[in-house]
Amino acid sequence: MSEQSAQPEYRIEDLAHHSGATVRTIRAYQDRGLLPRPERRGRSNVYGDAHLARLRQIADLLDRGYTLASIKELLEAWDTGRGLGGVLGLVAEVHGPWTDEQADRISRAELEARFGGTPDEAAVLEAVELGVLEPLPGRETEEYLVPSPQELAVAAELYASGVPLGAITGHLRELRGQVEHIASRFLEFTTEHVFARYLEHRPPTDADAHEAATMVRRLRPLAQQTVDAELARAMRLLATRHLQLHLSPDAPPARDDEPRPVALPAATVRAVQDLVGPEGVAVFVTAAAEREVHKRTLDSLASSRHING
């Protein structure tokens, strides 16, 4: 940094150090038009606080899931005077917590105690992959962040009731896919009927972004409230039917054509998800099983004919 200038000045190496970006990344941002060109001073390029602020904005938007192309659109809008404060406020509102639940921490010893006292490295790795546990580095003892203590408590209760860990994680994967579908439909619905008018411009104007952020705060609890109410209704209805079926003295025997749950290894479920996505797992497994049954039937018939012939 120059000590003679009233405003801080940085060489590219200094800018990289203060921003956390690499020199190579800074140059790539310049080439893509995300970062203004530095001022030339003799043989040196000089950067200022505006460059540092821009790099931090880019890093923040990348952390929130934005692509470099969409970030460029936002920054160009800001540079042309359309404002970015409202857009960043909208981004922060959407990216913020969607639940009042507070994250917690748990040690490896406490975790094992809650799940039978026996170490299970595979189960821990599965929980980390699902995001149920997040390793905390730099600790003297192995420790994890628990984003949803309620979710971990449910898993511990199910395990204590006799449900295998593999079945619990498999159920969570299936449930997560279904819940993500519900969330997607809710977003499509609210975008069509509520947010479309705020998103006519790309990116939205500062005023529209402010109004959209206010609307997000109002609508944020509605998705969970609706799902909670509908889940309670469905559980009451189906649990009553289920109980009547099993308690009735003249209950009909289970039909052979009724669907039956089958526990699959977690690795198998992951492999199928990679191929067809979470929503296609059930259909893919059913089709694969039917194809195998048909193949074995044909092989059996061919073998029988060969023996009889």
Side-chain angles (χ1 to χ4, degrees), residues 214-290:
T214 301
M215 192 62 68
V216 169
R217 284 193 293 274
R218 288 178 52 190
L219 298 183
R220 186 192 298 274
L222 297 188
Q224 183 171 349
Q225 291 171 3
T226 302
V227 171
D228 286 347
E230 284 301 309
L231 179 62
R233 182 200 63 80
M235 287 298 297
R236 182 173 61 251
L237 176 65
L238 298 180
T240 300
R241 289 180 184 174
H242 197 70
L243 189 62
Q244 289 173 345
L245 176 64
H246 286 275
L247 295 185
S248 175
D250 55 350
R255 293 168 47 190
D256 288 339
D257 60 347
E258 288 183 343
R260 299 179 184 178
V262 177
L264 295 175
T268 300
V269 175
R270 286 197 298 271
V272 175
Q273 283 183 322
D274 291 341
L275 286 173
V276 299
E279 68 282 353
V281 170
V283 175
F284 182 91
V285 171
T286 300
E290 289 176 350

Side-chain angles (χ1 to χ4, degrees), residues 15 21 60 68 85 104 160 202 222 236 247 277 284 302 308:
L15 186 65
D60 181 59
L68 288 176
D104 200 357
R202 292 199 48 175
L222 297 188
R236 182 173 61 251
L247 295 185
F284 182 91
N308 293 335

Side-chain angles (χ1 to χ4, degrees), residues 54-286:
R54 176 63 59 89
L55 286 171
R56 288 171 175 167
Q57 287 172 341
I58 294 172
D60 181 59
L61 290 168
L62 285 172
D63 287 341
R64 298 177 190 275
Y66 282 74
T67 65
L68 288 176
S70 59
I71 291 173
K72 185 177 180 181
E73 289 185 7
L74 291 173
L75 296 176
E76 285 177 349
W78 189 23
D79 289 340
T80 56
R82 287 166 55 189
L84 189 61
V87 173
L88 292 178
L90 176 59
V91 169
E93 194 66 48
V94 172
H95 189 71
W98 286 73
T99 175
D100 293 333
E101 186 178 15
Q102 298 294 317
D104 200 357
R105 296 182 180 183
I106 190 169
S107 68
R108 179 63 180 264
E110 292 170 332
L111 184 66
E112 291 173 357
R114 294 182 68 176
F115 287 89
T118 303
D120 191 333
E121 188 65 29
V124 172
L125 291 175
E126 183 103 13
V128 170
E129 181 184 344
L130 287 167
V132 177
L133 300 174
E134 296 179 7
L136 292 172
R139 308 282 167 167
E140 293 183 3
T141 58
E142 196 170 349
E143 193 173 355
Y144 298 90
L145 179 71
V146 185
S148 174
Q150 293 179 3
E151 192 170 54
L152 186 65
V154 169
E157 192 65 33
L158 289 172
Y159 181 79
S161 301
V163 183
L165 284 174
I168 295 173
T169 54
H171 176 71
L172 176 57
R173 288 183 184 277
E174 180 182 357
L175 180 64
R176 183 168 292 180
Q178 294 168 345
V179 171
E180 287 177 357
H181 174 71
I182 293 172
S184 176
R185 290 293 299 118
F186 186 81
L187 287 172
E188 291 171 1
F189 171 78
T190 52
T191 297
E192 178 183 356
H193 297 285
V194 179
F195 291 104
R197 60 182 177 270
Y198 300 117
L199 305 176
E200 292 177 350
H201 303 95
R202 292 199 48 175
T205 64
D206 208 40
D208 283 346
H210 276 299
E211 289 189 38
T214 301
M215 192 62 68
V216 169
R217 284 193 293 274
R218 288 178 52 190
L219 298 183
R220 186 192 298 274
L222 297 188
Q224 183 171 349
Q225 291 171 3
T226 302
V227 171
D228 286 347
E230 284 301 309
L231 179 62
R233 182 200 63 80
M235 287 298 297
R236 182 173 61 251
L237 176 65
L238 298 180
T240 300
R241 289 180 184 174
H242 197 70
L243 189 62
Q244 289 173 345
L245 176 64
H246 286 275
L247 295 185
S248 175
D250 55 350
R255 293 168 47 190
D256 288 339
D257 60 347
E258 288 183 343
R260 299 179 184 178
V262 177
L264 295 175
T268 300
V269 175
R270 286 197 298 271
V272 175
Q273 283 183 322
D274 291 341
L275 286 173
V276 299
E279 68 282 353
V281 170
V283 175
F284 182 91
V285 171
T286 300

